[in-house]
Amino acid sequence: MGAESDTGSCLLIIGNGFDLHHGLATGYSDYHDWLVDHDEQVATDFETFCFAAECSDLEGSLDYIRNSAKGVDSRWCSLEESLGIEWDDLCYETLDHAYPDVTEDNPGWDDFWIELHMRLEYLKKLTRDHFREWVESIDVSKIKPALDLPDTASFVTFNYTPTLECVYGVRSANILHIHGCVLDKNELLQFGSPDNNPFELEKMLEDKYGMDDFYGATIQQGVTVACDRCADTWKNIKGNYDALNHFLDTLAKCQYSNYHGQFVRQSRYAVPPRRSGSTLPRCRMGLLRARSQREQTV
């Protein structure tokens, strides 16, 4: 960070390159390999799910070439982007062949929500249950410090791992894990797409199907299933902004105001607008990007 960073207070923003720089296996393909060993069916369900968002700019990238050479589906090059699901198309196509047929002895009142549940069951395992198990399996206990971090620094980290706490001894009060941290067993680890907003999805589906004769008897249960799985794959950007603003407020007593950073490239975050009557914390802010030749970051 340079000699100037050794004095005074500063805010450092780190991403997955920080963990990769320390030799931790925290890339998308590392999760893929772990998942294949522990629940291969979930990986297969994700790779064959036809309503995942297309990532059009991947071909030709280093990650794409590496994964192709290993026989790994290209969706793992940009995993969270691929979790942006085409919910409207999914629900329409499913309902099209699962709509109740009242001429039959069994009209199939439950077919819609049951089929949606079967199609989407893997998502919670992929983005919640197994994802936490994988992150918890990443051992930071044998990692040695590889960087000279300022003693007075505070951190905003996109990582779920406790590298800062366990390797560098940074107090938790000086760290904002903006997407959650495995140290807190009760904290949600946000892993997914900002496009998967369950509240917007519920409104869209209610507007589209709410007047249908069978909405209450059939469709509404399917809407609930879709929204539950949507919530499992959602990164709540607005809620994270609130947490970020609160954390920045705690830095108000920092001594310097040399603002010279930005958030991690390709992230949807930017320095948030401050509330009326509030000023930016008087601190130096730096972007710590430990570049890695390995792959796309988690």
Side-chain angles (χ1 to χ4, degrees):
M1 294 298 296
E4 185 187 12
S5 297
D6 293 333
T7 61
S9 299
C10 60
L11 174 66
L12 301 181
I13 303 168
I14 65 176
N16 194 43
F18 181 79
D19 279 352
L20 294 175
H21 182 74
H22 289 78
L24 294 174
T26 55
Y28 288 148
S29 68
D30 295 309
Y31 181 35
H32 166 268
D33 294 344
W34 182 94
L35 196 59
V36 168
D37 288 340
H38 291 79
D39 194 343
E40 187 173 8
Q41 187 60 51
V42 171
T44 300
D45 289 344
F46 168 64
E47 293 167 6
T48 57
F49 186 65
C50 60
F51 295 96
E54 293 292 332
C55 304
S56 57
D57 59 345
L58 292 178
E59 191 168 354
S61 69
L62 182 59
D63 295 336
Y64 181 89
I65 295 171
R66 285 172 173 169
N67 281 352
S68 296
K70 293 169 57 179
V72 176
D73 190 278
S74 62
R75 293 180 183 182
W76 292 93
C77 298
S78 188
L79 176 54
E80 290 180 280
E81 186 178 351
S82 297
L83 288 169
I85 294 169
E86 302 293 344
W87 296 101
D88 191 14
D89 293 344
L90 168 64
C91 291
Y92 178 84
E93 192 270 346
T94 304
L95 187 61
D96 185 54
H97 66 263
Y99 196 79
D101 184 353
V102 294
T103 66
E104 298 289 337
D105 292 336
N106 180 6
W109 300 112
D110 296 326
D111 289 358
F112 178 52
W113 77 262
I114 289 175
E115 182 164 345
L116 277 180
H117 172 76
M118 293 176 63
R119 284 185 164 190
L120 299 173
E121 186 177 15
Y122 79 93
L123 279 175
K124 185 174 183 294
K125 297 177 182 179
L126 178 68
T127 63
R128 294 290 187 255
D129 303 335
H130 288 335
F131 183 73
R132 174 175 279 278
E133 292 169 9
W134 169 61
V135 178
E136 289 178 343
S137 75
I138 298 170
D139 186 7
V140 302
S141 64
K142 299 177 183 177
I143 301 300
K144 302 297 183 183
L147 298 168
D148 185 15
L149 301 181
D151 293 336
T152 56
S154 296
F155 298 85
V156 173
T157 174
F158 291 82
N159 301 338
Y160 311 94
T161 52
T163 311
L164 287 170
E165 294 92 333
C166 297
V167 178
Y168 289 90
V170 180
R171 295 190 305 117
S172 59
N174 293 341
I175 306 170
L176 172 62
H177 286 270
I178 199 163
H179 295 149
C181 179
V182 293
L183 287 179
D184 186 344
K185 299 295 184 181
N186 298 316
E187 184 174 21
L188 174 69
L189 301 185
Q190 294 185 42
F191 185 70
S193 169
D195 295 329
N196 293 337
N197 187 318
F199 303 104
E200 293 179 359
L201 175 62
E202 182 178 35
K203 184 179 185 305
M204 180 194 73
L205 295 176
E206 286 180 347
D207 289 346
K208 186 169 185 176
Y209 300 109
M211 299 303 294
D212 189 282
D213 290 340
F214 295 141
Y215 183 79
T218 295
I219 301 174
Q220 190 172 23
Q221 292 173 286
V223 170
T224 299
V225 169
C227 291
D228 285 348
R229 296 293 77 78
C230 182
D232 288 333
T233 58
W234 182 35
K235 271 189 174 175
N236 183 0
I237 297 297
K238 183 180 182 302
N240 293 340
Y241 266 135
D242 293 339
L244 179 59
N245 262 318
H246 177 75
F247 184 72
L248 292 178
D249 284 341
T250 68
L251 306 182
K253 294 183 180 180
C254 291
Q255 297 175 355
Y256 294 90
S257 57
N258 180 18
Y259 228 79
H260 60 86
Q262 63 179 356
F263 280 79
V264 177
R265 184 178 300 173
Q266 296 180 339
S267 169
R268 297 200 183 192
Y269 294 95
V271 176
R274 307 297 289 166
R275 295 184 291 275
S276 177
S278 178
T279 59
L280 286 169
R282 299 182 66 248
C283 65
R284 269 204 317 278
M285 174 176 164
L287 177 65
L288 181 59
R289 294 190 70 194
R291 296 184 182 275
S292 171
Q293 295 298 316
R294 291 188 58 193
E295 60 191 307
Q296 174 78 20
T297 63
V298 174

